[in-house]
Amino acid sequence: MLKILLALVFLTPLCFIQSMWWMVQCILFLIAFMFMFTTVMSNFFGNLSYFLGCDVLSFGLIILSFWICVLMITASESVLRFSAFSNFFLFMVMVLLILLYCTFSTTNLFMYYLFFESSLIPTLFLILGWGYQPERLQAGVYLLFYTLLASLPLLVGIFYLYGHSGTLFFPLLQAENWSQLLFYLCMILAFLVKMPMFLVHLWLPKAHVEAPVSGSMILAGVLLKLGGYGLLRVFKVLVLSGLAYNFVWIGISLVGGVLVSLICLRQTDLKALIAYSSVAHMGIVLGGLMTMTYWGFCGSFTLMIAHGLCSSGLFCLANICYERLGSRSLFINKGMMNFMPSMALWWFLLSSCNMAAPPSLNLLSEISLLNSLVGWSWVTMLMLAFLSFFSAAYTLYLYSYSQHGKIYSGIYACAMGYTREYLLLFLHWIPLNLLILSSEPLVLWM
C-alpha cells in the first residue's frame, strides 16, 4: 500500500512543470491499473504496510477515487485551455487523491478521522478557486461548517472509545455490550452529515451548483462515500446501540428520499437536479445500511460505487452542455437532441443507469437494498414504492426536458462533442455496466 502512496507523492512535483497536464493523467491511469492488480479479495486487511491496509471495502472505494480523479483531469480541460492556474489545479487534485487514498486505506480510526477531515480543504480550494458564481464563497462556508460542526463530537467519541477499549485498530475493535445514546450519536453524526442525510443535506446542492465540474465529480463520486464507509466501519462497535436506535434514521432517510425526489421534480437547474438526486440515492443507501443486515451492508457498498460513477457521469454531461451554451438552466438547455445529437445517447445511457435500469450496477444494489429494508419491516414498502417511482419520474424529467422540445432560439448551430468527452463518458459508463458481470466481490465481502 505504501508503494502506491509514494508513487502518488512523487507524482505531485510533475504538476508544476509546464505542459505536463496529460502526462499526469496518463501516469495516474497507470497507477490505478497497478493498484487494481495488487488486489485483496478478503474481508481481512491484506497488503499491510506502516499504517495502511486494504480489504474489499477499501479496495472498491480506492479504485473509485483513482478513477474519478483521473476523469476529473480529463473533464477539466477548460482549466488548461484558459490557463486558469492549471498547475495549481493539478496539484489540488493530486493532494485530494492522496488524502482520499489514505482515508480509505488507513487501519486506525483516529487516522481515518484525520484524513476524513483534511479532504475538506482541497475540495474547498477547488470550489473557491475554480467555481463559477460569486455565491461559491457562501457554498464553501456551508460545506466547511456543516462538516466541521458535526465532526467534533466524533473526535471526542474516538478518544472515549480509545480510553475504553485501548485500541483504535479496525480489526481489533469489537462490539461493546453496552448501549449509550450519547456515544452512539457522537460516533455517527459526522457520517450522517457527510452522507448527507435528509435534514442535514443543505450544504450539498449549494456546493454542487457552485463547484466546477471537477469539484462536482469528486463530491458526488467519492466524498459522499466517506460517510457510508465510516458508518460501515463504526457499526462494528455500535451493534447494540444500532439495534436500539437505528429505526429513527431509516425513517428519516426514506421519507427524506421521497421529499427530495419531489424537490427534484421542480428544479430548473441541471446541476441542482442531479445534486438533489444524489441526496435521494444516499438516503436509500443510509436506510439499507442502518438495517444492519447482510443484504443492507452489501447493497449500500455496491450502490455507493454505482452512484459514484453514474452521478459523476451526469455532472460531466451537464458541464458539456454548460460549456457550449453558457447556462445550466433547463429553459435554455431544451431540445439538445437537435443541437448535440450524439450526446443524446449518452444522456439516455447515464439517465437509465440513474434510475437503476438493467444491466447497471445500480440495479443489483437497489434490489439488495429493497430486500434488506422490506425484510427489516414491511412498513418501509410504502415509502420505497414512492421512492422508486419518483426516482424514475425525475430522471425521465431530466432527460426528456433537456433532450426533447423546441430548441432555444438563441442557438443557431449544431455542435459535436470532442473525442475527449466521448471517452470521458465511456469510462464512466463501461465500469458501471460491466461490474455487474463480476459482482461477487461486491456482495460476498462480509
Side-chain angles (χ1 to χ4, degrees):
M1 298 300 286
L2 214 50
K3 59 178 177 285
I4 304 282
L5 184 60
L6 283 174
L8 289 175
V9 169
F10 285 121
L11 185 56
T12 38
L14 271 189
C15 303
F16 293 108
I17 302 175
Q18 281 307 314
S19 61
M20 272 291 180
W21 181 275
W22 301 116
M23 184 67 165
V24 170
Q25 186 222 26
C26 292
I27 295 176
L28 271 181
F29 259 128
L30 195 65
I31 297 176
F33 279 110
M34 269 170 53
F35 181 73
M36 220 179 278
F37 292 124
T38 60
T39 161
V40 179
M41 282 303 167
S42 77
N43 53 347
F44 300 112
F45 278 93
N47 280 2
L48 287 165
S49 52
Y50 182 45
F51 63 94
L52 304 171
C54 182
D55 60 353
V56 172
L57 197 53
S58 314
F59 180 74
L61 289 164
I62 291 172
I63 284 287
L64 183 67
S65 308
F66 271 122
W67 204 246
I68 299 290
C69 283
V70 173
L71 296 180
M72 274 163 72
I73 297 175
T74 317
S76 304
E77 191 257 351
S78 57
V79 173
L80 179 68
R81 194 166 62 240
F82 299 122
S83 319
F85 299 99
S86 55
N87 295 355
F88 192 58
F89 176 84
L90 268 185
F91 177 66
M92 277 298 125
V93 174
M94 286 304 303
V95 170
L96 189 52
L97 179 55
I98 289 170
L99 289 172
L100 286 170
Y101 179 79
C102 292
T103 311
F104 289 130
S105 59
T106 183
T107 52
N108 183 303
L109 194 53
F110 178 68
M111 298 292 268
Y112 170 74
Y113 172 81
L114 210 63
F115 292 123
F116 170 79
E117 283 308 308
S118 44
S119 64
L120 264 182
I121 298 160
T123 319
L124 191 67
F125 275 130
L126 281 177
I127 292 176
L128 295 184
W130 290 271
Y132 301 119
Q133 280 83 14
E135 288 88 47
R136 61 180 187 257
L137 297 169
Q138 188 192 4
V141 170
Y142 260 61
L143 169 75
L144 206 61
F145 277 87
Y146 259 94
T147 315
L148 282 180
L149 193 67
S151 302
L152 282 172
L154 175 63
L155 188 62
V156 180
I158 288 174
F159 287 150
Y160 176 76
L161 184 65
Y162 183 63
H164 190 265
S165 57
T167 180
L168 289 176
F169 185 53
F170 282 133
L172 294 181
L173 291 175
Q174 62 240 358
E176 303 294 351
N177 52 3
W178 35 261
S179 161
Q180 284 183 351
L181 180 59
L182 198 60
F183 174 65
Y184 170 75
L185 282 175
C186 283
M187 292 302 281
I188 211 174
L189 203 59
F191 303 130
L192 294 182
V193 172
K194 199 71 174 177
M195 279 289 283
M197 185 182 71
F198 183 70
L199 299 181
V200 283
H201 68 288
L202 286 175
W203 62 271
L204 182 79
K206 257 189 162 22
H208 269 310
V209 169
E210 303 308 329
V213 60
S214 52
S216 287
M217 284 170 72
I218 198 72
L219 259 175
V222 188
L223 294 176
L224 300 190
K225 315 301 174 269
L226 283 169
Y229 174 79
L231 286 176
L232 286 170
R233 288 280 189 231
V234 287
F235 264 127
K236 195 174 172 187
V237 184
L238 302 171
V239 176
L240 275 177
S241 318
L243 292 173
Y245 308 120
N246 272 359
F247 66 93
V248 181
W249 312 120
I250 296 178
I252 291 176
S253 53
L254 288 180
V255 175
V258 176
L259 293 177
V260 166
S261 303
L262 289 171
I263 294 173
C264 278
L265 282 171
R266 54 181 301 275
Q267 290 300 322
T268 54
D269 184 323
L270 277 176
K271 258 193 166 181
L273 203 161
I274 302 166
Y276 274 110
S277 80
S278 288
V279 181
H281 275 108
M282 294 322 274
I284 190 172
V285 165
L286 188 62
L289 210 159
M290 290 291 181
T291 57
M292 295 182 66
T293 53
Y294 177 79
W295 281 80
F297 272 28
C298 295
S300 56
F301 172 58
T302 317
L303 189 54
M304 284 197 289
I305 288 177
H307 171 264
L309 290 163
C310 177
S311 201
S312 174
L314 283 169
F315 277 116
C316 291
L317 277 167
N319 182 63
I320 289 169
C321 292
Y322 179 70
E323 283 184 354
R324 304 293 190 285
L325 304 180
S327 168
R328 288 189 313 261
S329 167
L330 271 172
F331 298 118
I332 291 176
N333 286 283
K334 289 189 304 187
M336 294 297 287
M337 202 177 254
N338 299 318
F339 179 63
M340 299 181 78
S342 47
M343 277 299 162
L345 171 69
W346 287 106
W347 272 105
F348 171 73
L349 289 174
L350 283 160
S351 299
S352 57
C353 286
N354 199 38
M355 57 184 178
S360 65
L361 196 57
N362 298 56
L363 178 76
L364 172 80
S365 44
E366 288 206 12
I367 288 173
S368 179
L369 287 167
L370 291 179
N371 257 321
S372 71
L373 281 161
V374 175
W376 178 76
S377 162
W378 61 267
V379 185
T380 55
M381 274 189 195
L382 184 65
M383 281 302 159
L384 284 171
F386 280 123
L387 195 59
S388 302
F389 174 74
F390 284 125
S391 79
Y394 66 67
T395 309
L396 286 170
Y397 161 69
L398 167 70
Y399 175 71
S400 55
Y401 263 62
S402 61
Q403 299 310 306
H404 298 286
K406 191 175 180 185
I407 193 165
Y408 169 60
S409 55
I411 306 169
Y412 287 117
C414 169
M416 288 293 288
Y418 297 117
T419 315
R420 167 183 65 84
E421 291 168 342
Y422 292 124
L423 180 67
L424 173 67
L425 296 167
F426 179 78
L427 290 176
H428 275 112
W429 183 77
I430 277 293
L432 192 54
N433 287 272
L434 282 189
L435 277 172
I436 198 162
L437 296 178
S438 162
S439 50
E440 301 91 351
L442 296 171
V443 290
L444 298 177
W445 54 269
M446 280 181 74

